[in-house]
Amino acid sequence: MRDIELVSTTRLMKEIPEDEDFYYWLSRPVVERLQAVTLIVSQSLTPGQRLDKTAVSRRKLK
């Protein structure tokens, strides 16, 4: 019987090329992407604070 060996790579976020990160998230299911965004937003808010959605600026993308 063969042994399965765990192989992983650890890198700093600033070392990961932006396009590689972008394509990684495109490869993930929509539900997982939404969960990640929700987690990031919840980590930036204090307990009981809600996300302020009133200050939104709309710009045309080039």
Side-chain angles (χ1 to χ4, degrees), residues 40-51:
I40 292 169
V41 169
S42 68
Q43 289 175 342
S44 67
L45 300 175
T46 58
Q49 183 183 11
R50 295 178 54 142
L51 184 64

Side-chain angles (χ1 to χ4, degrees), residues 29-39:
V30 174
V31 173
E32 187 176 338
R33 288 187 269 170
L34 184 58
Q35 288 172 340
V37 169
T38 304
L39 175 67

Side-chain angles (χ1 to χ4, degrees), residues 4-11:
I4 298 175
E5 186 175 320
L6 177 64
V7 177
S8 89
T9 304
T10 304
R11 298 188 286 181

